[in-house]
Structure formats: C-alpha cells, structure tokens
Amino acid sequence: AWDDPTLEIVHVNDLCSIESASYLVKYDSVHGTWDKEVEHKNPEDKFFTVNGKKVTFSQEKDYTNIDFRGMGVEMVLECTGVFLKTPVLEPYLTKCGVKRVVVSAPVKDGMLNVVLGCNHQKLSEDKKILTNASCTTNCLAPVVKVVKEKFGIKHGCITTVHDVTGTQTLVDMPNTKKSDLRRARSGMLNLCPTSTGSATAIVEIYPELKGKLNGLAIRVPLLNASLTDCVFEVESPTNVVQVNAALKGASEKGPLKGILGYNELPLVSTDYTNSTYSCVIDGLSTQVIDGTMVKIYAWYDNECGYSKRMAELAHIVSAKYITKTRPKFVYE
C-alpha cells in the first residue's frame, strides 16, 4: 500500500507507543526488514517518518476523538479487530467525515465480506463500509469457487492448520483475549484444536452453501505459512487429474489469476513465506476417493497474502468510489 501512488498513508492509531509502532513497521521476525527508512527521532514527536514522509500517530481507544476530517482522511483501514459490528463502525462516516472504511476482519451482520476474485462484483457505491473477510476465508473461497463451478458441492468440511497468533499465549497463562481454554496453553509448544469461522463465513461469499460447509482449526507452533485441508463431497464424479486441471486452469486465467496459485513441487511451509497469493494448491496432495470425495491442500501465507488483498481492496475502493478512476487491479 505504501508504494501505491494512488494511496497516501497519513496517520496511524494504535494503543502501543509510537516507539513500538515505528520499530515494528521497520522490523519483522518473519518477513524481514522493510526496505524503507523509518525514523522516530524525538520522544516528544507525535509522528514518525518513512523515507522522510511524515506519518502522524495517536493512541485513542475511541477513534471518534481523532481528527480524521482535519487531516483530510478519506478512507480508513480498520485493523484493530475490535470494531466488528456495523453500528460501531458507522461513526467513521457520520462523525469523522471518512468516506469509506475497509475492515481487516470478518463482520457477520450483513456487511459485504469481499474476497477478491470471488465476489468483488458486489462492490457498489452504497456499500461504504465493507470487510476483506479473514485470511483463511480468502484461502478457502477460491478453492470453493473452482470446485463448486466445475463439479458442484453437496457438502464439505475443512481443517485449517494455522500458525500461532496473538490470541494465544506464549507460555501457559490465563488468556484474556479468548474464552477457549486451549488458547491459554503455550502456543509455542502445543498443537491446539480450536474454532475457525472460515467455513461458515463462506456463506457470506456463496449464500447457496449455507449449512453445507463447516470446519475446525489446529493452531501449530509455527510463525508463518498455514495450510487449509479442504474435503468436499461433489455432485459430479471426477478424478485427481480433472480436479488438478480445473485448479491449475483457474490459476492461469480468469478472475483468480494472481490470487490462486498452483504447483506440483514438493514444498513445505517455509517455502510459502512472503507468498502474495491468497492460496496455493499443493497439486501433489490432491486425492479423490470413490469418485466424489475430493481432498485438496491449499497453502497460504496468512499474513503476506492477506495483507496484499487488503491493499488491493483499498486501492479498488479508492479508485472506484473516491477518485473515480479505473482500478489497477481488475479480476475478470
């Protein structure tokens, strides 16, 4: 997003210190050191700079206290994970003067959950607040799209083998972020079965699949690159060759090009660090049992791939509804 000439990042709001924010913008244990010069020179300064450009900073729990209007902010990327209902997001528009809001988490109260390549056609002038769904939904939806359109889906179940996240604890201790007791156990030592809303959230993308998909997650002691194990009972009998051909074809042309990847190399999780695809099919692992049960492995960098889609969605929303120009990212 920083390198997108159509977007100008002017302000960051977080509860951490500006020292922490500027430091973590520059340095990342998984993705490496950002190639931009990030500086916060004076402790009293309420801004940091990126390649000399000033980015102001605030620490407001109540975002309505921020002078977005005075800063000329037209669009907010809401990435706190706290404001997940339309009524608590609407003040961005009604009080703060912001024109558009893009949320980096699923919102399940009727808000448009966008998965680029799958349902971005539903974007419209009147949908001023929308969400980029979740990282796992962005991984799963392209797979569902291909299987549904090529073979039909009777029902299915997914397991996301997901890296540890900030909702878990580093060592065994009470967890104030989630009620799931297993997330109170050390995320760096345990395989942790837990919930995922990604399968049921597919209904937000494909309403016709309501009640037909569900799933679970297993949190694993890794920092990056996750895997979604997709199992579907399909309507039309098929085989491994046909399934892989459909997935490979969808990765090469059409609305999923650049979003869905495909390979048949014997790769492992670290090979997908910094992958900007929403998912990459592990063609070597595809199975078909008794003609209609299809099993597919889909890899994803749950940070980098999702962030790339978030930046693209912000670009599309800005271009179509603020600057009234043709977006650079067009998935057709």
Side-chain angles (χ1 to χ4, degrees):
W2 183 267
D3 293 322
D4 186 337
T6 70
L7 299 176
E8 181 185 6
I9 298 174
V10 298
H11 186 78
V12 172
N13 181 59
D14 205 330
L15 298 184
C16 69
S17 68
I18 188 171
E19 291 82 7
S20 290
S22 56
Y23 175 77
L24 293 172
V25 164
K26 177 68 176 178
Y27 301 104
D28 190 284
S29 299
V30 171
H31 302 289
T33 302
W34 197 24
D35 62 358
K36 305 292 188 291
E37 190 66 34
V38 182
E39 294 182 303
H40 176 246
K41 294 182 178 180
N42 301 313
E44 64 272 15
D45 287 344
K46 297 298 182 182
F47 66 88
F48 58 88
T49 61
V50 179
N51 282 358
K53 184 188 181 301
K54 183 186 292 187
V55 179
T56 55
F57 185 82
S58 60
Q59 296 170 282
E60 292 285 351
K61 286 186 177 182
D62 182 351
Y63 66 80
T64 61
N65 292 331
I66 303 170
D67 187 15
F68 289 110
R69 183 180 282 104
M71 289 185 285
V73 173
E74 297 177 289
M75 178 168 59
V76 166
L77 305 186
E78 169 49 62
C79 303
T80 65
V82 174
F83 307 108
L84 300 178
K85 298 290 184 181
T86 298
V88 299
L89 291 163
E90 285 178 337
Y92 273 120
L93 308 179
T94 59
K95 292 185 178 180
C96 300
V98 172
K99 296 178 181 177
R100 299 280 162 170
V101 179
V102 181
V103 184
S104 69
V107 179
K108 300 178 182 179
D109 62 0
M111 183 182 295
L112 176 61
N113 285 247
V114 179
V115 174
L116 293 177
C118 295
N119 74 333
H120 58 277
Q121 302 88 350
K122 295 182 179 180
L123 288 167
S124 63
E125 179 68 41
D126 64 304
K127 293 180 174 63
K128 299 184 185 300
I129 306 176
L130 49 85
T131 162
N132 194 47
S134 73
C135 58
T136 303
T137 301
N138 271 265
C139 173
L140 177 60
V143 180
V144 169
K145 175 180 172 66
V146 175
V147 175
K148 180 175 72 73
E149 292 179 356
K150 295 294 184 179
F151 309 105
I153 294 176
K154 289 185 178 180
H155 48 254
C157 188
I158 70 105
T159 302
T160 174
V161 184
H162 199 291
D163 305 308
V164 66
T165 72
T167 64
Q168 296 170 260
T169 58
L170 189 63
V171 297
D172 286 10
M173 63 184 296
N175 188 326
T176 59
K177 296 180 180 179
K178 292 286 184 178
S179 60
D180 183 353
L181 290 177
R182 285 193 272 207
R183 296 200 198 198
R185 305 297 297 278
S186 170
M188 301 312 296
L189 187 63
N190 295 290
L191 297 177
C192 175
T194 189
S195 61
T196 176
S198 57
T200 53
I202 285 293
V203 173
E204 305 290 335
I205 317 302
Y206 298 113
E208 65 272 25
L209 294 178
K210 184 176 182 179
K212 296 183 178 181
L213 293 177
N214 211 333
L216 291 168
I218 301 174
R219 294 292 178 87
V220 298
L222 296 174
L223 286 178
N224 198 61
S226 298
L227 176 72
T228 301
D229 177 359
C230 314
V231 178
F232 306 104
E233 184 71 22
V234 297
E235 295 174 351
S236 302
T238 187
N239 55 52
V240 169
V241 172
Q242 291 175 340
V243 171
N244 278 348
L247 292 163
K248 186 173 186 293
S251 74
E252 295 172 338
K253 61 181 180 179
L256 293 178
K257 184 178 181 180
I259 291 175
L260 173 68
Y262 178 91
N263 76 55
E264 295 183 355
L265 298 173
L267 302 184
V268 294
S269 58
T270 54
D271 299 314
Y272 293 96
T273 295
N274 293 327
S275 169
T276 57
Y277 289 103
S278 293
C279 65
V280 181
I281 302 301
D282 190 321
L284 295 179
S285 300
T286 302
Q287 295 181 342
V288 176
I289 298 95
D290 200 25
T292 56
M293 180 177 284
V294 177
K295 184 181 183 72
I296 297 165
Y297 277 176
W299 294 99
Y300 61 120
D301 181 326
N302 48 284
E303 294 180 342
C304 195
Y306 183 81
S307 296
K308 182 68 161 60
R309 297 291 90 73
M310 186 77 178
E312 290 175 357
L313 182 57
H315 169 94
I316 292 168
V317 169
S318 172
K320 294 184 73 171
Y321 306 114
I322 298 177
T323 63
K324 309 295 183 181
T325 56
R326 178 174 171 80
K328 173 184 177 183
F329 303 101
V330 180
Y331 295 108
E332 296 177 344

